[in-house]
């Protein structure tokens, strides 16, 4: 788990919570996001319980959530909306089947990005969400 204080003042970087059970992927995503001047990783989580605890503590602007996350991606997304209602969620998945997309969308996820997407595509999705009113 990685944690840093969140600062949501104007001009501050967007705070990001990364949620995936693949530790190597979390490290890679952390490096990619930390290299962005407008984003800051505030925490990483490897399961649903940890993700919800960290979301409640940090109230991140953005959450990257694995669809097949331990604890259930859709379930974690719904619970996250209750514990950190201002957080916007990007589903991050190796699966692009209609059922997975629909379950995550109905759980409140705003963007759905495949794990095979480029870093540029993931960052663009995060920035789109961060800039939404």
């Amino acid at each position: 788990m990685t944690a840093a204080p969140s600062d949501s003042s104007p001009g501050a970087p967007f705070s990001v919570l990364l949620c995936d059970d693949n530790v190597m992927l979390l490290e890679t995503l952390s490096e990619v996001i930390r290299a962005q001047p407008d984003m800051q990783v505030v925490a990483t989580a490897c399961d649903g319980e940890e993700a919800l605890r960290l979301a409640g503590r940090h109230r991140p602007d953005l959450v990257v959530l694995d669809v097949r996350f331990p604890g259930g991606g859709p379930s974690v997304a719904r619970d996250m909306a209750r514990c950190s209602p201002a957080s916007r969620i990007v589903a991050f998945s190796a699966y692009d089947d209609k059922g997975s997309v629909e379950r995550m969308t109905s759980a409140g996820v705003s963007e759905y990005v495949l794990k095979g997407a480029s870093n540029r595509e993931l960052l663009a999705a995060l920035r789109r969400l961060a800039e939404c009113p």
Side-chain angles (χ1 to χ4, degrees):
M1 168 180 67
T2 304
S6 178
D7 180 0
S8 59
S9 60
F14 297 109
S15 58
V16 182
L17 169 61
L18 301 173
C19 306
D20 201 292
D21 58 333
N22 181 325
V23 175
M24 287 180 59
L25 181 61
L26 279 177
E27 290 173 5
T28 301
L29 286 175
S30 291
E31 288 177 21
V32 168
I33 292 173
R34 285 190 178 109
Q36 308 307 306
D38 59 339
M39 296 182 199
Q40 169 187 357
V41 176
V42 293
T44 62
C46 292
D47 63 47
E49 185 177 313
E50 183 179 33
L52 294 171
R53 183 174 45 79
L54 291 169
R57 179 187 310 158
H58 294 285
R59 308 276 185 203
D61 298 310
L62 305 167
V63 177
V64 177
L65 177 63
D66 181 16
V67 171
R68 303 275 170 100
F69 196 54
S75 175
V76 172
R78 278 189 294 276
D79 291 344
M80 195 160 295
R82 285 190 285 275
C83 73
S84 185
S87 296
R88 293 186 173 104
I89 303 171
V90 174
F92 197 50
S93 180
Y95 307 96
D96 67 348
D97 61 282
K98 186 177 179 180
S100 293
V101 174
E102 286 177 355
R103 282 188 295 278
M104 292 302 283
T105 302
S106 69
V109 168
S110 303
E111 292 268 350
Y112 196 100
V113 177
L114 292 175
K115 288 186 176 177
S118 69
N119 292 343
R120 182 182 305 236
E121 290 170 295
L122 175 61
L123 293 169
L126 289 169
R127 287 186 175 108
R128 272 192 305 274
L129 284 182
E131 294 169 1
C132 289

